[in-house]
Amino acid sequence: MIIRNYTKKDEQGWLRCRILSFLNTAYFDNVLQQKETYENAAIELVAEIDGQIVGLIDVEYEATPKTVCTQQDSIGGMIWHIAVHPDYQRQGIGEALLKAVLQQAKELHIEYFEAWTRDDPWVQMWYEKYEFEKSTSYYHVYLEGNEMKNLMNASVDQFYPVTAFAHYTGKDLEQFQHVKRKHECVCYVKVFNQ
Ligand SMILES: CC(C)(COP(=O)(O)OP(=O)(O)OC[C@H]1O[C@@H](n2cnc3c(N)ncnc32)[C@H](O)[C@@H]1OP(=O)(O)O)[C@@H](O)C(=O)NCCC(=O)NCCS
């Protein structure tokens, strides 16, 4: 297995690896057709086995605190994407990607990583194994058909929303009891020991 910088010719392999790795997670329908690019500088690494992209990590980092990340007053790197192909999971590839990105991050004087993930316990276990700490959370709420009643009212005549996706930052979860799909979105932070 080789860990190396992402190049443009990796795009299809990157997209496929990401989609397959997300299939069994709360992000199953978060599909990209083009790889994300970033306003700020980023460390973009892939893991390759026999010419196939089997893992990836993207960290966009800031020059000024709190312009990309949100949780500390020091320079942060946001992990926007981390994924390992399902046929290669739990073999240390995620750990190897994290170690490689951490090494580059320290050389760039980044002081912490921030990452947001939904409520898949096994994914959270990965973050916690590698000493990320829960910092804060809010909710991702998906509404379908009747679930919209009393929660969403369109103000346009003859306009009938049938699905909605919303962020909820409050504490009154009772009002979403009838909603099937909702996820706690958790922020993890890993502060580096230099
Ligand atoms: C999270 C992810 C990147 C980890 O990569 P990985 O190469 O599989 O993980 P590693 O081999 O480095 O680490 C394994 C550890 O992660 C946790 N873990 C990973 N998969 C697990 C599973 N299916 N069940 C339980 N724990 C699991 C455990 O702590 C495990 O340690 P253990 O085997 O000693 O119990 C990978 O599983 C993945 O792609 N998940 C789906 C994509 C995703 O959710 N990304 C984050 C969205 S923000």
Side-chain angles (χ1 to χ4, degrees):
M1 195 246 309
I2 307 165
I3 303 241
R4 59 169 176 79
N5 288 327
Y6 169 86
T7 64
K8 184 71 185 156
K9 67 176 170 29
D10 297 319
E11 187 170 23
Q12 281 307 308
W14 189 99
L15 291 167
R16 286 175 192 174
C17 176
R18 180 181 172 280
I19 288 173
L20 288 175
S21 94
F22 276 18
L23 267 183
N24 296 321
T25 75
Y27 285 103
F28 65 91
D29 53 353
N30 185 298
V31 175
L32 294 180
Q33 289 187 306
Q34 288 179 328
K35 184 184 178 301
E36 194 170 358
T37 54
Y38 305 101
E39 249 175 62
N40 298 276
I43 309 168
E44 297 161 275
L45 303 180
V46 291
E48 181 186 333
I49 294 180
D50 297 333
Q52 185 189 357
I53 302 301
V54 296
L56 57 96
I57 189 164
D58 276 13
V59 175
E60 181 186 13
Y61 57 95
E62 57 199 11
T64 307
K66 293 199 168 157
T67 51
V68 174
C69 297
T70 61
Q71 299 295 303
Q72 305 269 317
D73 292 322
S74 50
I75 296 289
M78 181 71 87
I79 302 181
W80 287 120
H81 299 280
I82 171 147
V84 171
H85 186 296
D87 294 347
Y88 296 88
Q89 284 175 5
R90 228 169 168 179
Q91 297 173 25
I93 295 176
E95 179 184 6
L97 283 163
L98 179 66
K99 278 193 177 152
V101 87
L102 200 54
Q103 190 184 334
Q104 289 198 25
K106 285 182 177 174
E107 286 162 11
L108 290 162
H109 307 293
I110 297 167
E111 290 160 282
Y112 79 104
F113 281 157
E114 181 171 326
W116 292 81
T117 193
R118 287 182 180 166
D119 39 14
D120 294 298
W122 57 282
V123 176
Q124 295 195 0
M125 279 162 71
W126 184 83
Y127 281 109
E128 286 165 24
K129 180 171 182 184
Y130 298 108
E131 294 171 337
F132 284 77
E133 286 182 11
K134 275 186 189 170
S135 165
T136 184
S137 73
Y138 67 101
Y139 285 82
H140 287 175
V141 182
Y142 288 83
L143 300 174
E144 292 265 1
N146 283 340
E147 290 177 340
M148 318 262 282
K149 247 191 210 163
N150 303 329
L151 289 173
M152 297 273 303
N153 297 308
S155 54
V156 178
D157 191 34
Q158 293 183 300
F159 182 71
Y160 307 104
V162 288
T163 64
F165 169 64
H167 287 180
Y168 180 67
T169 57
K171 302 234 178 299
D172 180 10
L173 293 175
E174 282 279 303
Q175 62 191 317
F176 303 117
Q177 236 176 4
H178 65 296
V179 176
K180 258 199 247 150
R181 187 172 176 203
K182 49 194 182 278
H183 301 287
E184 186 178 13
C185 185
V186 177
C187 180
Y188 277 101
V189 164
K190 181 180 175 71
V191 179
F192 307 165
N193 307 312
Q194 292 296 339

